[in-house]
Amino acid sequence: LSRSITRPILRLASAAEKIRSDRNGQQEISDVSERNDELGELSKALTQMTDDLLQRLDAIEKFAADVAHEIKNPLTSIKSAIETAIKIDDANQRKDLMKIVMEDVNRLDRLITDISELSRVDAELSKANFLEVDLSQTLKAFEQLYNQTVGDKGSKLLITLHKPHSFLVMGIEDRLVQVLRNLVENAQSFSPPHDTIRVDVHKIENKIQIIVEDRGPGISSESLDRIFQRFYQDRQKKEEFGNHSGLGLNICEQIVELHNGRIWAENITKKNNQISGARFIIEFPSLE
């Protein structure tokens, strides 16, 4: 009886030690999950924990590689511009080169700010306790604050709550507001001046659906599948460089998924299939 208990435990302990010392992550937990007892449950839990940790490590490595790549581009441009400015005497050319340097510095500043925010969101959501949030009150308060802040400088925001008017979810209110803010600011950046950004909130069966629409140029077909990728951008070249890092929608996706929801994008089309804007849709599980 003693051996039937200790041998599987020793096998699990040995496998755990091999995984700890194996940097390639190729070792596997000794499988005793077929046992219908506590040792079987322990084996399943250790296997799932190991898989989750390896996925986490892979995600961190990929994120670090993406960050290094994005930061290297403006640094290379700054270095090239400064090296050229040192060699030339023409004041106008130097002025143009310094303009390039400032654009790249702005790009770096934006990147570092959004990377820091992305890391903070990830750390906060992994440890936070979710509370009951009434989205109807949250969204209306955000609408009032946004319109007062923007004033006559940009697009107006119109949020419509369709019956029922109570939309309860489990989550972190500040982060849910951040998702809406990112989507509204994204819509504003593509909308005609002083246009109205519309947000419709519905309850469909056991889901709460939030739809954010704009009347901009829409999303290119090749971007629909990539729009939420980290650092990906699909913007007009004439837009001022450095204003966007390509992380806003990725942050939205992470927050929504950690709230057990989903988010996707699609184009708004007219009867002749002409694109008349973009639509972002979020779904959260409803508490009611």
Side-chain angles (χ1 to χ4, degrees):
L1 176 62
S2 175
R3 286 195 298 270
S4 68
I5 295 175
T6 57
R7 281 179 179 174
I9 293 178
L10 291 174
R11 285 161 54 193
L12 290 174
S14 176
E17 176 60 25
K18 289 179 181 178
I19 291 173
R20 186 193 68 81
S21 59
D22 179 21
R23 297 185 178 181
N24 295 321
Q26 300 298 320
Q27 300 292 333
E28 295 182 356
I29 292 290
S30 178
D31 188 15
V32 294
S33 57
E34 71 278 359
R35 295 174 57 127
N36 295 319
D37 57 12
E38 288 82 358
L39 286 174
E41 293 299 320
L42 176 60
S43 174
K44 293 176 183 177
L46 287 174
T47 299
Q48 184 61 53
M49 181 185 69
T50 302
D51 291 341
D52 291 345
L53 286 173
L54 291 176
Q55 290 178 11
R56 182 73 171 175
L57 289 173
D58 289 341
I60 291 173
E61 289 179 0
K62 187 176 185 301
F63 178 67
D66 290 343
V67 169
H69 175 74
E70 289 297 320
I71 291 179
K72 186 176 181 180
N73 287 337
L75 284 177
T76 302
S77 177
I78 291 172
K79 179 182 178 182
S80 176
I82 292 176
E83 288 176 346
T84 305
I86 293 174
K87 297 176 182 178
I88 61 176
D89 298 324
D90 187 275
N92 291 328
Q93 290 183 352
R94 282 190 175 182
K95 185 178 179 180
D96 292 338
L97 289 170
M98 289 303 102
K99 183 178 178 181
I100 293 174
V101 170
M102 284 303 301
E103 289 175 347
D104 286 320
V105 169
N106 290 335
R107 165 75 170 162
L108 278 173
D109 180 66
R110 182 71 180 186
L111 273 172
I112 292 170
T113 299
D114 286 350
I115 289 168
S116 175
E117 176 65 17
L118 183 61
S119 301
R120 186 163 50 249
V121 166
D122 191 28
E124 178 184 317
L125 291 177
S126 65
K127 297 181 290 186
N129 293 322
F130 285 18
L131 301 174
E132 186 177 290
V133 178
D134 186 352
L135 287 178
S136 59
Q137 298 178 9
T138 301
L139 295 177
K140 279 301 182 182
F142 174 76
E143 177 188 35
Q144 183 178 7
L145 179 62
Y146 181 88
N147 285 330
Q148 289 176 351
T149 303
V150 172
D152 297 328
K153 299 178 182 178
S155 303
K156 292 293 184 181
L157 176 62
L158 176 62
I159 297 179
T160 304
L161 303 174
H162 299 271
K163 292 183 179 180
H165 296 301
S166 177
F167 301 93
L168 296 179
V169 299
M170 290 296 294
I172 304 173
E173 186 175 20
D174 290 345
R175 293 306 176 185
L176 295 173
V177 170
Q178 182 180 4
V179 171
L180 184 63
R181 184 189 305 112
N182 285 2
L183 292 178
V184 169
E185 289 177 354
N186 181 74
Q188 181 185 12
S189 68
F190 287 103
S191 297
H194 307 294
D195 196 16
T196 299
I197 299 169
R198 300 183 182 277
V199 177
D200 290 285
V201 187
H202 306 264
K203 183 177 180 184
I204 303 175
E205 297 180 351
N206 61 340
K207 303 287 186 182
I208 293 174
Q209 192 174 90
I210 303 173
I211 304 172
V212 182
E213 295 184 345
D214 65 65
R215 294 195 296 174
I219 306 169
S220 61
S221 56
E222 62 270 17
S223 296
L224 279 173
D225 295 331
R226 304 177 59 194
I227 197 71
F228 295 102
Q229 287 183 9
R230 195 181 296 131
F231 300 116
Y232 181 76
Q233 297 189 56
D234 181 22
R235 294 183 176 272
Q236 298 178 0
K237 293 182 179 179
K238 66 180 182 180
E239 189 170 349
E240 187 175 349
F241 184 79
N243 281 348
H244 305 276
S245 65
L247 285 173
L249 294 179
N250 183 260
I251 291 174
C252 289
E253 184 181 50
Q254 288 206 31
I255 295 174
V256 170
E257 289 181 350
L258 287 169
H259 280 78
N260 297 317
R262 65 191 189 107
I263 181 172
W264 69 95
E266 58 188 35
N267 282 316
I268 304 171
T269 56
K270 299 179 180 179
K271 292 182 179 180
N272 58 358
N273 291 326
Q274 182 180 358
I275 296 176
S276 59
R279 176 187 293 125
F280 287 84
I281 305 170
I282 314 168
E283 280 188 352
F284 292 114
S286 174
L287 288 180
E288 296 180 322

